[in-house]
Amino acid sequence: MKYKDYYEILGVSRDADDAKIKSAYRKLARKYHPDVNKEKGAEEKFKDINEAYEVLGDKEKRQRYDMLGSGFQNGSDFDPSSGFNGFDFSQFTQNAGGARGGNAGGFSDFFSAIFGDLMSGGAKTSYGRGFSGDMFGGGRNFYSNMGNMGANMGSDPRTASQRRDNPNKAQKENLDINQNLVLNVSDILNGGTKNITITDYQKCKYCNGNISGSFCSHCAGSGIEKNSKNLSVKIPKSIKEGQKIRLKNEGRNDDFGNKGDLYLTIKIKDSNFTVDGDDLIKTIEITPPVAVLGGKKEIQTPDGKVTITIPEKTSSGKMLRLKELGLPKKDGGRGNLNVKISIVLPKTISDNELELYKKLAAMETK
């Protein structure tokens, strides 16, 4: 197998400190990340970068790697069975095969031959460091799967195929998304479809929630990734606040092919109306003269503008009922629109008006 120069892959010198190695890794990981770089060979390059950082970013692994010396730096074949500089590789080659089938899956044969003992048995795993090495190829998302097992299925002892074909209740609920859907009165009355954007946050699959604290360019080191998608939601007429709309298979996906559902809880928010069951409440303002003498006032209803009559001697807080102008009822018909009166003073009061108010006040004291 070919010797791999991890220092050359990261573009750092052999005496580079941890800070320089981490800085080089971050820069290259951003450049060659498969979500950013679609050029041919970018995935393989990204995999090599992760493998190099897995070694050079770990003190123990870097020391073992440096013991190979400079003899292999020209790209000659690497034979771990022959030993080198008095270093016995036999303990590592014994475990290399198991490592490739276990925690080291996805790393190169060169890596497995040297570090197989570290990767086997579960003593240490690569998914604790930024991106997992097994991100591509046949073992895609291996470490992500391992990290997500506990979150998605707890201690579920079933096989992967059983979990895929028969997800249990706890697993299914973990894949479901519950969010509010805010509608206005017009949305409720008209029904039809509404275009919405759903945003969900979950543990980053590339770094398994950044459990080691290492930098991950996919989630910017936060351990959380943001998923957004646009959907068209059919709004049933007569739907009420608090009810839910279910969109099947629009929730989260796990690594076994299971899909959760999206549950949208209806919230009604309208700047013109307050919802009271099937009824609507609308507050209007009138001046003291209108409250005393009565009058006409044009108001906006869900069905358009109408002119209402304000009775004489109307007090603040009085309700005027407009029948069948509320929300749709489940059994047919509509609720009412209740117009609530609020008496307010004019923004400006002339001297003559002020004198009249003084006379009224004097009359009330007699």
Side-chain angles (χ1 to χ4, degrees), residues 185-186 189-190 272-273 280 282 297-308 322 324-326 334 337 339:
V185 170
S186 179
L189 288 173
N190 296 331
N272 295 310
F273 308 99
L280 297 174
K282 180 180 180 66
K297 186 173 181 65
E298 185 179 75
I299 67 169
Q300 182 69 45
T301 76
D303 291 16
K305 293 182 177 181
V306 299
T307 299
I308 63 172
L322 304 181
E324 296 286 321
L325 289 180
R334 290 174 60 178
L337 172 60
V339 180

Side-chain angles (χ1 to χ4, degrees), residues 24 34 95 99 114 143 157 185 195 222 293 299 303 333:
N95 291 323
I114 304 176
Y143 297 125
V185 170
N195 295 324
S222 67
L293 303 175
I299 67 169
D303 291 16

Side-chain angles (χ1 to χ4, degrees), residues 150-163:
N152 288 344
M153 286 155 287
S155 58
D156 191 349
R158 299 174 300 163
T159 65
S161 61
Q162 288 173 329
R163 287 190 290 270

Side-chain angles (χ1 to χ4, degrees), residues 73 131 142 213 237:
Q73 292 183 48
F131 294 92
F142 174 81
K237 288 187 177 180

Side-chain angles (χ1 to χ4, degrees), residues 53-106:
Y53 183 64
E54 179 68 31
V55 174
L56 300 185
D58 184 285
K59 184 178 180 180
E60 183 178 353
K61 293 176 184 175
R62 184 178 180 182
Q63 287 177 346
R64 180 177 294 183
Y65 173 75
D66 286 343
M67 291 183 72
L68 293 175
S70 59
F72 288 107
Q73 292 183 48
N74 294 324
S76 57
D77 287 340
F78 170 68
D79 181 8
S81 63
S82 64
F84 186 79
N85 289 346
F87 192 80
D88 181 12
F89 288 94
S90 61
Q91 58 177 315
F92 313 132
T93 57
Q94 290 172 3
N95 291 323
R100 283 192 295 272
N103 287 336

